[in-house]
Amino acid sequence: MKAVGARVPRYDGIAHATGRTVFVDDVRIPGTLWVKAFRSPVHNAMMTNLDTSKAEAMKGVHVITSESVPLLEYGHLSALGIPADEPLLAKDEVRYLGQPIAVVAAPSEEAAMAAVAAITADFEEQPALFDVRKAFDADAPVIHDKGNWYTHFEDEMDRRQIRKGNIEEAFDRADLIVQGVYRPAAIEHAPIETQVCQVVPEANGRLTIYSCTQALYFSMGVVAAHLQLPLNKLKVVGGTVGGGFGGKVDTATETMCALLAQKSGKPVKWRWTREEEFLCSSTRAPWHMEVADAVTKDGWILGRKMLTLHDAGAYSRFSPYGLTKHSFHHTGAYSIPNLEFNGYVVYTNRTPTTAMRGFGVTSVSFATETHMSRIALELGIDPFELRLKNANRIGDTSPNQIPYTDPSTVPTILAIADAVGHDLTPEYAGMTPAPRSGDLLPEHLVGQLGNPEAH
Amino acid sequence: MAEVLIPASPSEAVSLYGDGAGTTVIAGGTVVMPEITYGRLTPGRVLLLSNAGLDGVTIDGTTITLGATTRIDTLAALGDQVAALATCADNIADGEIRGQATVGGNLCVSQGPEAPRGDLQGVLLALDATVRSAGADGERTEAIEEFLSHRAGRLVLDVSFERPSASAFSALDYPHTHEYTVLAVTGVRAADGTIRLAATGLAGTASRLHAAEALASDPTAAGAAAVGDCSFADDALASAWYREQTLPVLVRRVLNQLEESA
Amino acid sequence: MNLTVNGVDTTIESGPLTSLLDVLREELGITSAKAGCEQGGCGACTVLVNGASRRSCLTPVASIDGAAVTTVEGLGSPEHMSPVQQAFTHHYAAQCGFCTSGMMMAAQAYIEGGGSDDHEAIQEALGGHVCRCTGYVKIIDAVAAVARGESFDLSVTAAGTAMTNIGGMA
Ligand SMILES: Cc1cc2nc3c(=O)[nH]c(=O)nc-3n(C[C@H](O)[C@H](O)[C@H](O)COP(=O)(O)OP(=O)(O)OC[C@H]3O[C@@H](n4cnc5c(N)ncnc54)[C@H](O)[C@@H]3O)c2cc1C
Ligand code: FES
Ligand code: FES
């Protein structure tokens, strides 16, 4: 831990302070064409009569549509064997406002805007779905031909589920059930550098891709798959990201720019406007979480039933992964021995959602912490002590049965109590993460908490 | 390609403007430039006022005149003359935008839902300002209320008003410099003791609160009456309900401030 | 049209309504000013025009014909950084670095205007600038340190670090 608390050199400090850092938009390649997109003007529609001929007839303008993509559908988790559900460019239907349909490259930004303005299509609008709670209704708009939620968890299950201990017994034994519904909203990552990409077709047939991606090798794989090119035909230059926060994990621009560079034989650049960034780039998902805890009068949480609806937006992208992480953390920093968790990745007509700082976990932390305070309020006990009592201790196991070897709940809560000047009784003030014993291991929990073998 | 005209004097500006047909005026450009950049506006003929000599504040006895291209940050210096104007100006955007944005631009932008613009309109309404402008039928000086109702085809030259004996401005708190004006109220006591009130952030345009003015001696009653005078926007910034609840509070605050400064 | 850019007299070929930001980046290849929003809301494009800090994205170039424009490149070089640049380096005030040029130009104008180390005054001066990474604390610390006239020992924070990822230093 030599670096903690010490002053260390920033490898890019001087470059930033002298304006010399070369972000993607700062790469200068003469003769670069500007890229702009023709995007869906509606939330949900069948699309016919896409006509790009007027744009294509403009001087120096190149256009790609779904027909230009060698492999149209390639999912963000395809490499893990999960079926793809999102076309690179919309084909017969559009599922979210701002979905790219055709992308143009032109000699100037104005020419690119004019080319986009010359593209037309007919949209037969369908009712749109924005509320995950309505996705399961019999009369809900159908977003995907296979249904309104993702169906490819292990063994083709349509939900992520966790079962631990004996949930019914826990609820039978409870003195009361405390319930809550938690719905954190979508958040735009809003990096100050918008999505941007520059692609240069090299004389040797390779494409050099200057990318602001947060996941360089991942993006490389995605581009190679859509273009059906071997990896050695791509050189991806990255590492300089003007803020990402998770929003630059999706491969938002690289593939389309690569196709346009191939088609035009010229270098191309696409820099999203701030409005595109807000309206069309992915966001952190909104979540819907319902929690019911079986609780004893003296503040033990015996069991938790939880239902999570994770709003994927129009396509699944990384959402199954986010929900899986969410499920592993759905008891937060606390040990609850009996669990029944069901989580669904639900499709809506929102912009597809993606990773953001603490992917899948911040939502459940919000729900859990709010719920802990609610339980303390209902029982009339100290919220710090309730948290310490149920805190993760060495040897406790996570919802997915991983034993905790060094859980930090106890020292963290003690530090918070200290920082805000909250007095604790000696029993709690002296608590450590060591395995439970004495009064803090009540009869009915022996063999449950602190003993992974028991589960 | 747009034809760009850069007049070097007020009279040249007026003659180049003519009847204004097909002409886009750019003063500070803080509103127009993004429209051009984003391709929503492709002007054919542009009158750029940067060099037209239309800026400056003149004080003639009790009459204060603001040239059309006076920068908003200049108004801060008028604090001892018209407190409300200085406070309102200080609430607009950030220091750098205030150094670029103009009074004329603020008067001519249309207020729309979610558009942080035209904050000065409310203050100038309460000041009962007059606007001098040029256009098809030549030069014209008229009350601001009238000017705001038919701005198209007019080139603003300056705005004048009488120094009030007191003025006050109160807005809902801004959590960030760039936060839009959800609701703001200006109150003015004229030299003859008349009280005038105006609000911005309601629904579309700034408006005078005539019913509230009539009850100005009773701030609570005036606040309640103001609600009847207005329609409230329901947008992403605030619900109509919220605006309706807070308008009486702002009216009361402004009237109390005027009372205190008496 | 003419501009004096970082002390160099320069003839401008772009159209009169071209934003100063596009003139700098696309015509002159000076890339420190960034296009973060192109509508005045983020501050990343800020440069000095005749000493005053200005949103280059909102400024039609014809409106400042003949003016002196200063960008970060004009503040100092990696070998000879200005006090503001040194302070930003020393205080780790740049994280991703995308807002940094605009922040530094606003800071430069603030310091040249005799700004103090009062945190509220600094916040007001930088109020139009958005940074999504740092949380602003280190930026404000850096500006306050310059205002106090501190000097900076960069032997640790910037030792042997003059490099970037994409294409090296411009
Ligand atoms: C980040 C940001 C924050 C902002 N915050 C605020 C805020 O808090 N409050 C607020 O009120 N505004 C705000 N604005 C909007 C804007 O800056 C102001 O309204 C400003 O006063 C407009 O003046 P301008 O000179 O820049 O206008 P311009 O962009 O030059 O012009 C605006 C409009 O007025 C017309 N016009 C300009 N001058 C004249 C004239 N003399 N005669 C006839 N027509 C004319 C133009 O043709 C155009 O239609 C903000 C803008 C930005 C970018
Ligand atoms: S790019 Fe000019 S303020 Fe954002
Ligand atoms: S350092 Fe990344 S936006 Fe400020």
Side-chain angles (χ1 to χ4, degrees):
Chain A
M1 297 290 255
K2 265 186 259 160
V4 175
R7 296 189 73 81
V8 293
R10 271 285 310 251
Y11 77 98
D12 50 6
I14 290 187
H16 285 347
T18 55
R20 261 68 164 185
T21 303
V22 183
F23 293 91
V24 174
D25 191 29
D26 302 335
V27 173
R28 303 283 108 182
I29 312 279
T32 292
L33 305 181
W34 274 89
V35 176
K36 293 270 177 196
F38 173 71
R39 297 175 177 281
S40 170
V42 292
H43 297 289
N44 193 16
M46 299 308 292
M47 179 177 70
T48 49
N49 301 328
L50 174 62
D51 183 359
T52 59
S53 59
K54 285 205 192 68
E56 274 166 294
M58 292 172 152
K59 191 159 172 270
V61 170
H62 305 268
V63 184
I64 55 165
T65 65
S66 64
E67 302 199 341
S68 326
V69 194
L71 177 63
L72 186 60
E73 291 197 359
Y74 184 76
H76 285 55
L77 295 172
S78 287
L80 303 177
I82 288 172
D85 64 6
E86 180 173 7
L88 182 69
L89 291 162
K91 198 172 172 198
D92 306 317
E93 53 175 336
V94 288
R95 291 187 191 160
Y96 69 95
L97 185 78
Q99 182 169 4
I101 296 166
V103 189
V104 309
S108 70
E109 193 172 5
E110 294 71 35
M113 285 195 276
V116 167
I119 297 175
T120 55
D122 294 331
F123 299 95
E124 188 195 320
E125 256 194 276
Q126 318 274 336
L129 177 67
F130 299 114
D131 186 344
V132 281
R133 287 174 302 182
K134 298 194 175 133
F136 300 82
D137 293 354
D139 59 351
V142 177
I143 312 295
H144 272 258
D145 43 7
K146 298 223 173 52
N148 283 352
W149 57 96
Y150 176 87
T151 54
H152 303 295
F153 289 105
E154 280 85 353
D155 300 327
E156 296 300 284
M157 274 179 87
D158 68 347
R159 61 175 184 246
R160 170 61 67 198
Q161 68 169 39
I162 286 184
R163 302 287 183 267
K164 186 179 181 184
N166 186 335
I167 192 72
E168 295 314 329
E169 205 177 297
F171 272 70
D172 285 347
R173 219 192 274 165
D175 294 323
L176 79 162
I177 312 296
V178 179
Q179 300 188 58
V181 179
Y182 305 97
R183 295 170 58 81
I187 301 176
E188 164 58 36
H189 309 82
I192 308 300
E193 176 201 55
T194 57
Q195 299 282 357
V196 57
C197 178
Q198 162 104 46
V199 179
V200 184
E202 306 290 356
N204 60 11
R206 284 191 184 182
L207 295 171
T208 300
I209 302 174
Y210 297 91
S211 166
C212 68
T213 177
Q214 288 176 253
L216 188 141
Y217 291 100
F218 174 80
S219 296
M220 193 170 180
V222 170
V223 176
H226 278 298
L227 271 62
Q228 295 287 286
L229 285 178
L231 289 174
N232 69 8
K233 293 289 179 206
L234 303 177
K235 173 183 168 191
V236 186
V237 186
T240 305
V241 183
F245 320 112
K248 287 175 181 162
V249 174
D250 297 4
T251 309
T253 50
E254 291 84 346
T255 321
M256 295 175 240
C257 287
L259 283 165
L260 280 165
Q262 268 188 335
K263 182 158 185 180
S264 65
K266 299 220 165 89
V268 304
K269 177 159 88 180
W270 194 6
R271 181 182 80 209
W272 287 18
T273 63
R274 178 54 54 188
E275 291 183 5
E276 281 179 296
E277 187 71 30
F278 271 108
L279 295 174
C280 314
S281 81
S282 52
T283 64
R284 186 203 280 288
W287 296 74
H288 174 91
M289 294 166 284
E290 301 184 5
V291 181
D293 282 359
V295 176
T296 65
K297 273 201 229 74
D298 54 349
W300 288 100
I301 306 174
L302 305 180
R304 168 167 294 182
K305 293 186 186 178
M306 182 163 178
L307 170 70
T308 290
L309 306 181
H310 173 31
D311 190 339
Y315 300 97
S316 56
R317 295 200 183 169
F318 291 112
S319 291
Y321 168 76
L323 179 68
T324 298
K325 265 179 80 185
H326 175 99
S327 71
F328 292 173
H329 289 271
H330 83 273
T331 58
Y334 310 98
S335 282
I336 305 178
N338 304 295
L339 300 173
E340 180 183 297
F341 173 90
N342 292 317
Y344 294 83
V345 168
V346 180
Y347 299 118
T348 61
N349 293 108
R350 300 176 57 97
T351 314
T353 62
T354 193
M356 187 171 182
R357 298 180 150 191
F359 190 19
V361 182
T362 49
S363 53
V364 79
S365 300
F366 165 70
T368 298
E369 290 306 328
T370 317
H371 204 67
M372 291 305 272
S373 297
R374 174 173 277 172
I375 293 170
L377 203 66
E378 288 206 16
L379 293 176
I381 63 180
D382 182 314
F384 284 81
E385 296 188 356
L386 177 82
R387 283 176 168 81
L388 285 165
K389 193 167 203 166
N390 293 283
N392 287 333
R393 305 281 287 264
I394 292 170
D396 291 351
T397 62
S398 69
N400 54 325
Q401 314 278 19
I402 309 290
Y404 296 118
T405 54
D406 189 18
S408 54
T409 314
V410 171
T412 303
I413 292 179
L414 291 177
I416 294 170
D418 188 48
V420 301
H422 185 91
D423 286 334
L424 295 168
T425 60
E427 171 189 34
Y428 287 102
M431 197 182 254
T432 72
R436 295 165 199 281
S437 62
D439 285 351
L440 289 173
L441 181 57
E443 190 67 20
H444 66 263
L445 288 175
V446 175
Q448 287 268 8
L449 291 169
N451 180 6
E453 307 304 295
H455 302 305
Chain B
M1 266 292 226
E3 177 193 6
V4 180
L5 308 162
I6 311 177
S9 69
S11 57
E12 197 187 344
V14 169
S15 72
L16 287 175
Y17 184 75
D19 64 1
T23 303
T24 302
V25 175
I26 301 183
T30 60
V31 171
V32 178
M33 279 301 280
E35 294 302 301
I36 297 176
T37 304
Y38 278 76
R40 288 186 290 254
L41 175 69
T42 318
R45 185 173 188 268
V46 168
L47 193 67
L48 197 55
L49 298 182
S50 50
N51 206 24
L54 283 169
D55 58 330
V57 177
T58 44
I59 303 180
D60 181 7
T62 56
T63 308
I64 299 171
T65 301
L66 314 174
T69 60
T70 303
R71 307 286 176 194
I72 294 199
D73 63 355
T74 338
L75 305 181
L78 290 176
D80 53 344
Q81 306 271 342
V82 203
L85 192 62
T87 320
C88 173
D90 208 44
N91 262 312
I92 292 175
D94 58 73
E96 292 156 318
I97 304 262
R98 290 196 290 275
Q100 176 160 2
T102 69
V103 171
N106 205 282
L107 202 56
C108 292
V109 285
S110 40
Q111 295 191 324
E114 299 169 37
R117 309 162 156 186
D119 285 358
L120 291 177
Q121 292 171 20
V123 184
L124 292 169
L125 269 175
L127 286 166
D128 206 15
T130 52
V131 179
R132 193 167 66 92
S133 66
D137 58 357
E139 205 179 291
R140 172 162 98 202
T141 301
E142 65 199 319
I144 180 170
E145 249 179 315
E146 232 151 276
F147 171 79
L148 288 176
S149 67
H150 52 91
R151 288 180 296 194
R154 307 302 301 176
L155 175 70
V156 175
L157 302 174
D158 55 39
V159 190
S160 306
F161 52 86
E162 291 298 300
R163 182 171 61 225
S165 70
S167 68
F169 173 86
S170 185
L172 293 180
D173 255 353
Y174 287 50
H176 182 269
T177 337
H178 286 172
E179 205 59 74
Y180 301 172
T181 302
V182 174
L183 196 62
V185 173
T186 308
V188 162
R189 180 185 303 103
D192 67 1
T194 317
I195 301 260
R196 286 189 298 264
L197 295 162
T200 39
L202 293 168
T205 54
S207 52
R208 275 280 289 276
L209 306 174
H210 290 291
E213 288 172 2
L215 296 166
S217 56
D218 179 349
T220 307
V227 171
D229 246 1
C230 303
S231 55
F232 297 95
D234 208 354
D235 58 32
L237 301 180
S239 63
W241 177 87
Y242 183 70
R243 287 186 166 96
E244 191 175 330
Q245 302 305 307
T246 44
L247 180 69
V249 181
L250 296 185
V251 167
R252 212 161 56 222
R253 268 187 211 159
V254 157
L255 287 171
N256 287 334
Q257 279 177 45
L258 285 180
E259 190 58 38
E260 278 161 28
S261 60
Chain C
M1 291 178 291
N2 289 287
L3 295 176
T4 306
V5 182
N6 296 329
V8 180
D9 288 338
T10 312
T11 306
I12 304 300
E13 312 281 347
S14 302
L17 294 183
T18 312
S19 70
L20 175 59
L21 177 65
D22 275 359
V23 168
L24 291 169
R25 294 185 58 85
E26 307 304 329
E27 181 177 342
L28 305 179
I30 295 173
T31 58
S32 64
K34 306 295 182 213
C37 69
E38 297 179 282
Q39 47 180 303
C42 75
C45 67
T46 304
V47 301
L48 302 186
V49 175
N50 295 331
S53 60
R54 266 273 203 152
R55 299 280 179 273
S56 64
C57 71
L58 296 180
T59 304
V61 65
S63 72
I64 58 158
D65 191 7
V69 174
T70 309
T71 69
V72 172
E73 288 86 344
L75 288 184
S77 64
E79 296 73 30
H80 302 283
M81 292 198 289
S82 73
V84 168
Q85 291 174 312
Q86 292 182 32
F88 268 65
T89 310
H90 183 76
H91 283 276
Y92 304 100
Q95 224 176 86
C96 80
F98 207 78
C99 69
T100 308
S101 299
M103 289 281 184
M104 286 195 298
M105 297 320 291
Q108 181 71 20
Y110 176 75
I111 297 292
E112 281 175 12
S116 76
D117 68 348
D118 176 63
H119 279 207
E120 271 191 30
I122 296 170
Q123 276 183 35
E124 183 62 31
L126 301 181
H129 294 252
V130 183
C131 174
R132 194 70 167 136
C133 303
T134 61
Y136 304 100
V137 173
K138 289 170 189 300
I139 294 172
I140 293 167
D141 286 349
V143 181
V146 184
R148 283 192 296 272
E150 284 177 20
S151 55
F152 308 98
D153 172 12
L154 299 181
S155 60
V156 175
T157 44
T161 60
M163 54 162 287
T164 63
N165 288 353
I166 293 189
M169 285 222 294

